[in-house]
Amino acid sequence: MLGRQTHTALSIVSLDCVRQRVCTYSKGVLRLSVSQAEAGGDSFKQFWGGAMRMAKKTDSSVDRMPFSEDANGPRVEDLRCILSQHDGTLENESSWRMRRKRLGLAPAWVEHLIVQNRHETMRLSEIIRDFLCLPEDVVERLLYFGAVHMSRIAPATPPSIDPKVRDCISGYREEALAYIKESGEFDRMDHRERQTLSKVRRVMDADCLVPLFSYVRVHLVPKRFNLFYEVDWASRVVAQGDDYIVMDKPGGLPVPPTVDNAVENVLSGTACGALGASHLDAARVAMESLFVTTRIDHPTEGLVIIGKNSKFVGRFNASMNGRIQKWYRAAVLVPKDNHDARIRDILGDMTHRAITNFKLKDLPYLTLIVDDGVMGPVPMRDTGKVLQSVECRMIVHGANELDGIPGYLCPDTHVIYELDIELLTGRTHQIRAQLSAAGFPIIRDSLYAPLTSESVREGLLSYARQPDDDAESKIDDECQYVRDEHGRRLAEEPEGAIALQAYQLYAHDGSIFGSSEPVTFQAGHPWWHNA
């Protein structure tokens, strides 16, 4: 039974013990705590992997407060700081990042619960409070940020995890499904509900009732974007119609909600600037009224189209194939030696082959430019996925040398050029990856700057394709590509804005936006012009 903390104890076992004892935990509440970094960064598909802890509720009266003294988990005071409402009096963003590092859990800490309370149906906030030993104010903030997700039964486990763990979770899933059918709940469901029993959804309602065998996921350390509160969102509205809103997105903010933060994003900012919602209500209004069509990387600034209804999104997406053109500005570093000739060489059509969603355990997801001969499937040793290379195309229409950017110290060995780019294929991180591979990294793009080196790109691809049976002997090979001599990670997703802007969008068919003529939308000046 899921009881109060004062009547329970947590029995923590290591991963090694889990492999031997996991099958004995068929009753009570199952709890898995996992660092998102150790789980490969993808909490949706790999949450059962990585460094795990399992806990079983007992009838002991021994107390244990894992979030006050436990060095392996977040402390309450740190959680309160991270979850505090930004009001201009709190710590700045760099101090907030330092607190996250103090937790020793680099990007996230996620708790996974399977509820086995046969005697009563409890409220979601009670389950989080009692089982994770969290105070009411912390639970309230987690729900406010949308850091809690739930499904009727636990999601399926990937085949790559330990078989004993997979068998244990599969047992819970089978038991849950049997209970749902025996109780008559399954018969009352429509076809769609039956097909989505294990679909995980964000829940922000503290009073939501959690049935037996439900799965609950709690992201205890949401990534914050305090820039959200500093933006004048009304001034970021470029155009608005009955079905759409065009926003000039600031660099450093995601467009849609992240898995652990539904509040601080461009969609919520649109609700504030275009629909008049307050910061407190923005996430709810955005999720009820707005839809993402185009999206750009969180460190990129510029134009995004937000739909007011799903019908507009469908029409817009159908028109993307050749009828909507997108232009970007990028400020890049060019080696000073013979820089005029280097720039002339990249003008015109630029085509590469790339592997999108490339992932190694010690790197963020990225797009890796590969040799033209890499055409077939590429197995990823750390994720078990098999990826195909795809074509990336863009046109560099022009290049202007800049005298400099105020506040940015250009290396003596380089000069700065601003490129005018037309995007032809919309791959993830495409412009960033292609310019880096050409030897011209975008200013402040810490993720792709190390990938200007062809040997680094080839080394990463070679490492990813190697079989996993000699992983220990190959770990040094990986580290030389992703870490410097001091052990610091080289390729890191930038926290703020990079020098890339989606500055113009041209629609040949203006009827999408209610016009009988072609329509052009233009963003404001990029940050490096205003610096």
Side-chain angles (χ1 to χ4, degrees), residues 174-187:
E174 292 173 4
E175 191 176 355
L177 188 56
Y179 171 80
I180 291 172
K181 289 181 178 179
E182 292 172 3
S183 66
E185 182 180 350
F186 191 81
D187 294 333

Side-chain angles (χ1 to χ4, degrees), residues 451-471:
L451 301 185
T452 55
S453 167
E454 185 176 1
S455 62
V456 169
R457 298 194 304 273
E458 291 178 348
L460 290 175
L461 180 62
S462 176
Y463 177 85
R465 298 170 96 170
Q466 290 170 349
D468 210 23
D469 53 6
D470 56 353

Side-chain angles (χ1 to χ4, degrees), residues 276-509:
S278 67
H279 286 159
L280 291 176
D281 294 330
R284 178 186 56 78
V285 173
M287 287 189 288
E288 291 175 355
S289 310
L290 300 176
F291 301 81
V292 175
T293 57
T294 57
R295 63 181 71 192
I296 54 180
D297 304 338
H298 100 264
T300 304
E301 66 174 274
L303 298 174
V304 293
I305 309 297
I306 307 298
K308 292 183 177 180
N309 54 68
S310 58
K311 290 183 178 180
F312 171 82
V313 175
R315 294 198 307 271
F316 181 86
N317 291 339
S319 69
M320 287 293 289
N321 188 16
R323 289 192 288 172
I324 291 183
Q325 295 174 277
K326 293 183 286 185
W327 278 269
Y328 286 77
R329 292 189 185 100
V332 300
L333 291 174
V334 181
K336 185 177 291 185
D337 180 36
N338 203 22
H339 60 87
D340 290 336
R342 292 175 186 266
I343 284 295
R344 284 196 299 271
D345 286 344
I346 70 164
L347 292 178
D349 194 303
M350 181 183 288
T351 302
H352 291 91
R353 292 205 71 80
I355 298 174
T356 60
N357 294 317
F358 183 89
K359 182 75 181 77
L360 293 182
K361 61 189 174 193
D362 211 24
L363 282 176
Y365 280 94
L366 54 84
T367 292
L368 184 70
I369 301 297
V370 297
D371 186 80
D372 288 343
V374 181
M375 302 289 290
V378 179
M380 297 287 104
R381 61 178 295 173
D382 287 339
T383 65
K385 296 181 179 179
V386 177
L387 303 178
Q388 296 276 355
S389 65
V390 294
E391 185 181 68
C392 297
R393 288 188 61 210
M394 63 186 190
I395 301 174
V396 181
H397 286 286
N400 297 307
E401 185 177 356
L402 302 181
D403 294 332
I405 295 176
Y408 174 75
L409 182 62
C410 180
D412 294 336
T413 55
H414 289 72
V415 294
I416 300 174
Y417 273 82
E418 182 176 280
L419 307 181
D420 187 19
I421 298 167
E422 180 184 355
L423 192 62
L424 300 181
T425 56
R427 313 297 186 189
T428 304
H429 296 186
Q430 177 182 328
I431 296 176
R432 300 164 66 186
Q434 286 194 263
L435 290 178
S436 173
F440 309 129
I442 295 174
I443 288 173
R444 292 185 178 175
D445 192 351
S446 54
L447 179 59
Y448 284 93
L451 301 185
T452 55
S453 167
E454 185 176 1
S455 62
V456 169
R457 298 194 304 273
E458 291 178 348
L460 290 175
L461 180 62
S462 176
Y463 177 85
R465 298 170 96 170
Q466 290 170 349
D468 210 23
D469 53 6
D470 56 353
E472 291 186 5
S473 64
K474 299 296 190 255
I475 188 66
D476 291 337
D477 294 337
E478 179 205 17
C479 287
Q480 69 175 318
Y481 298 119
V482 299
R483 294 187 180 274
D484 63 15
E485 64 273 15
H486 305 294
R488 293 183 297 236
R489 192 159 73 178
L490 294 174
E492 195 81 63
E493 186 68 41
E495 292 283 346
I498 62 175
L500 180 62
Q501 182 197 36
Y503 77 91
Q504 182 174 289
L505 186 147
Y506 176 77
H508 294 270
D509 181 5

